[in-house]
Amino acid sequence: MRLPRTRTAQRRTVQGVAALCTLALAPAAWTFTAAEGKVGTVAQAPASGVAVVFGAGLWRGEPSPYLAHRLDAAVELYRAGKVRAVLVTGDNGRAEYDEPDAMRTYLVRHGVPDRQVVSDFAGFDTWDSCVRARKVFGVERAVLVSQGFHIRRAVALCEAAGVDSYGVAVDAVHDATWYYGAAREVLAAGKAVADAVLTPDPRFLGPKEPGVARALGSAP
């Protein structure tokens, strides 16, 4: 690949690259703007009734370390009285892979009563989880739990889906998984903007479910 020889061509090439970079980063900038002032720690989270925990993979049927950190934060929110129900949303598209049940088991093992945990088995991506939280489970206000590289997109999408959201950014070691997730967010932000503008139905919507309302009603 040859570089342009004339100054004018070089300048235009630089301008073109700069424009492409700006277009590529614009969706990520939108997620940060949409989540401005709505992301913090467990201690800063407002009392919201419901926590939504997004799936992050299983290892041999158990929550991955990243998912375990999210669930630990949900346990803290419950113990602090900031939430009375936890909606776990993840992938159960295959019989041998069940994120929500693994998340439920982990929460119960760490002290959250089983009746306060609600499972969404069709949270195939962040947009689907947000739309289903609002349309299927009737969630109007929630604390969202995820790692810092993902939480702003989650807040932006849930706000677009009609859920008044606050995001808890869970600490994570900056390992290869973290860097992969951060890089992936740049690409995922483009889809996020499209979802927020076009508001498509999730892959599976289904009927309304009373699980969250029941959990809130039975909370101590």
Side-chain angles (χ1 to χ4, degrees):
M1 180 178 179
R2 292 185 177 181
L3 294 175
R5 293 184 177 182
T6 67
R7 289 186 178 180
T8 300
Q10 290 172 353
R11 184 171 62 252
R12 288 176 178 173
T13 298
V14 171
Q15 291 172 339
V17 171
L20 287 174
C21 290
T22 300
L23 288 174
L25 294 175
W30 168 77
T31 65
F32 272 76
T33 301
E36 181 69 28
K38 290 179 171 288
V39 174
T41 64
V42 168
Q44 295 168 326
S48 298
V50 182
V52 178
V53 184
F54 300 88
L58 303 179
W59 287 11
R60 298 179 180 176
E62 294 289 325
S64 68
Y66 272 63
L67 181 52
H69 289 324
R70 298 181 187 188
L71 295 167
D72 289 340
V75 172
E76 289 184 52
L77 288 166
Y78 181 80
R79 288 176 178 169
K82 296 196 172 185
V83 302
R84 293 170 288 139
V86 182
L87 175 62
V88 291
T89 175
D91 186 353
N92 182 215
R94 309 186 306 276
E96 69 277 9
Y97 189 85
D98 189 346
E99 277 188 316
D101 271 350
M103 295 161 77
R104 172 189 289 276
T105 300
Y106 187 99
L107 289 171
V108 172
R109 191 190 312 154
H110 287 78
V112 179
D114 184 74
R115 67 179 181 277
Q116 306 310 131
V117 183
V118 183
S119 298
D120 174 10
F121 295 99
F124 298 119
D125 63 19
T126 304
W127 175 252
D128 284 12
S129 293
C130 290
V131 174
R132 284 177 55 79
R134 182 67 186 91
K135 292 186 176 181
V136 174
F137 295 94
V139 176
E140 297 181 353
R141 190 166 184 253
V143 176
L144 313 181
V145 184
S146 189
Q147 269 74 28
F149 58 76
H150 170 245
I151 194 63
R152 289 171 179 79
R153 178 164 62 92
V155 169
L157 286 176
C158 278
E159 288 278 343
V163 180
D164 182 10
S165 303
Y166 185 91
V168 167
V170 179
D171 290 334
V173 176
H174 287 198
D175 56 9
T177 302
W178 189 93
Y179 286 108
Y180 168 78
R184 179 178 176 273
E185 281 303 304
V186 176
L187 300 177
K191 179 181 180 301
V193 171
D195 287 337
V197 172
L198 301 175
T199 62
D201 282 337
R203 197 181 314 175
F204 179 79
L205 188 59
K208 296 188 181 219
E209 297 185 20
V212 169
R214 188 180 298 126
L216 292 172
S218 65

